[in-house]
Amino acid sequence: MRILFIGDVVGNKGIKMIQDYVPSLKQEHRPQVTIVNGENSTPMGRGINLSGYKKMMSSGVDVVTLGNHAWGNPELTDFIDDAKRLIRPYNFPGNDVPGRGYTIINVNGFRLAVMNFQGRVFLDNLDDPFTQANELVDELNGDADAFFIDFHAEATSEKLGFAKYLSSKVSAVVGTHTHVQTNDARILNGKTAFLTDAGMTGPANGMLGMKEKSVINRFINQRPARFQVDEDSQGIISGCIIDIDEKTGNATHIETINRMENGWD
């Protein structure tokens, strides 16, 4: 089983990079499952809309994950319950949260559970992702042959701690949210693929995808600012490839990918 995972899609530029490059990446790497984090994929760079979700799915994406900006676009509540391959962080508190926190993909009889959790350090205080992930894996044991987790979190220590806590129980933990790809792709305990952050897909020359002026001004004057997606920037698509042994459910390989509009970076 090979998985292609793409980091946070930002704005119209990010959607265009998915449309332009996911088909060629799939042709090159031949993944059986393609997963994309789409929590910043609206034109304003916060949340997801139905149009963007459909464009990603029609480009060859199998599952779209979200994060702390899941509810950034109110339109989400109109379609999330009907979007079977769109998942939001599982550990939102309460029993009446729209949508779902995981889905199971069946590829020629091999069942991959794709799960989404959100960290709590420097982010909203959701329910404990460590305990809930451990319980969900135990609950799905027998219904899934392998487990992939998009862990949407700010702190690198929380991401690594989460992966180590679940190592040997899940096939992969890949971090999202910080939009900067890390250089630490590895396999923990010879079983669990880990990457602190997959990076982002969208405007490469902005500040995490946003126009730089308003971001810098906020640092200088400490006043609220309206951030705008830098749609004029050159595009980038970032993520990773993970191989999973279908007999054991263990990861055997992980490597990062980056592609700029003018060729490989």
Side-chain angles (χ1 to χ4, degrees):
M1 161 71 69
R2 172 165 286 186
I3 299 169
L4 168 63
F5 181 76
I6 301 296
D8 301 48
V9 175
V10 180
N12 291 328
K13 174 65 73 171
I15 292 291
K16 186 175 187 303
M17 292 300 292
I18 293 293
Q19 292 176 310
D20 290 349
Y21 287 93
V22 163
S24 61
L25 285 171
K26 291 183 69 171
Q27 184 174 12
E28 179 177 351
H29 294 283
R30 301 294 182 183
Q32 281 75 49
V33 177
T34 299
I35 307 165
V36 170
N37 183 291
E39 71 133 13
N40 298 301
S41 57
T42 62
M44 65 180 178
R46 291 177 69 91
I48 187 171
N49 57 26
L50 182 59
S51 173
Y53 172 69
K54 287 182 175 180
K55 288 177 181 177
M56 287 186 278
M57 298 301 287
S58 65
S59 299
V61 174
D62 297 298
V63 181
V64 176
T65 59
L66 298 173
N68 65 304
H69 291 150
W71 315 113
N73 178 31
E75 181 191 345
L76 176 65
T77 57
D78 295 335
F79 69 90
I80 189 171
D81 286 329
D82 296 323
K84 304 305 182 185
R85 296 296 177 86
L86 174 63
I87 60 175
R88 43 79 180 164
Y90 181 87
N91 56 318
F92 277 111
N95 298 319
D96 59 348
V97 185
R100 58 196 60 78
Y102 72 92
T103 187
I104 296 177
I105 305 294
N106 191 316
V107 181
N108 297 324
F110 186 81
R111 301 162 300 175
L112 176 71
V114 181
M115 307 155 76
N116 194 190
F117 285 88
Q118 182 176 312
R120 299 189 292 182
V121 178
F122 307 127
L123 290 174
D124 293 336
N125 191 27
L126 305 189
D127 288 342
D128 173 19
F130 288 70
T131 301
Q132 288 210 354
N134 190 54
E135 291 176 349
L136 182 59
V137 169
D138 287 343
E139 179 184 328
L140 295 179
N141 221 351
D143 295 325
D145 303 302
F147 300 89
F148 175 95
I149 300 179
D150 171 356
F151 188 48
H152 198 82
E154 180 81 31
T156 57
S157 58
E158 187 181 23
K159 291 180 179 181
L160 181 57
F162 181 84
K164 283 184 172 289
Y165 177 72
L166 294 169
S167 64
S168 303
K169 292 193 69 171
V170 302
S171 309
V173 174
V174 179
T176 55
H177 176 66
T178 59
H179 291 207
V180 178
Q181 188 178 88
T182 52
N183 192 32
D184 62 339
R186 51 183 151 153
I187 297 178
L188 304 175
N189 294 335
K191 296 180 179 180
T192 302
F194 173 68
L195 178 64
T196 298
D197 202 280
M200 62 159 257
T201 298
N205 298 323
M207 293 192 65
L208 308 186
M210 300 297 166
K211 291 183 178 180
E212 63 185 58
K213 184 177 180 179
S214 58
V215 181
I216 293 172
N217 284 342
R218 183 172 180 177
F219 283 122
I220 293 172
N221 59 40
Q222 293 297 299
R223 295 196 300 270
R226 183 183 297 276
F227 296 163
Q228 293 180 308
V229 177
D230 185 9
E231 298 290 7
D232 297 325
S233 172
Q234 181 182 12
I236 188 173
I237 184 168
S238 302
C240 61
I241 294 288
I242 296 171
D243 290 330
I244 297 174
D245 185 332
E246 294 188 7
K247 293 181 180 178
T248 63
N250 297 332
T252 59
H253 178 74
I254 179 171
E255 64 178 276
T256 56
I257 57 170
N258 280 287
R259 179 168 284 182
M260 302 286 286
E261 281 187 295
N262 64 351
W264 285 105
D265 185 28

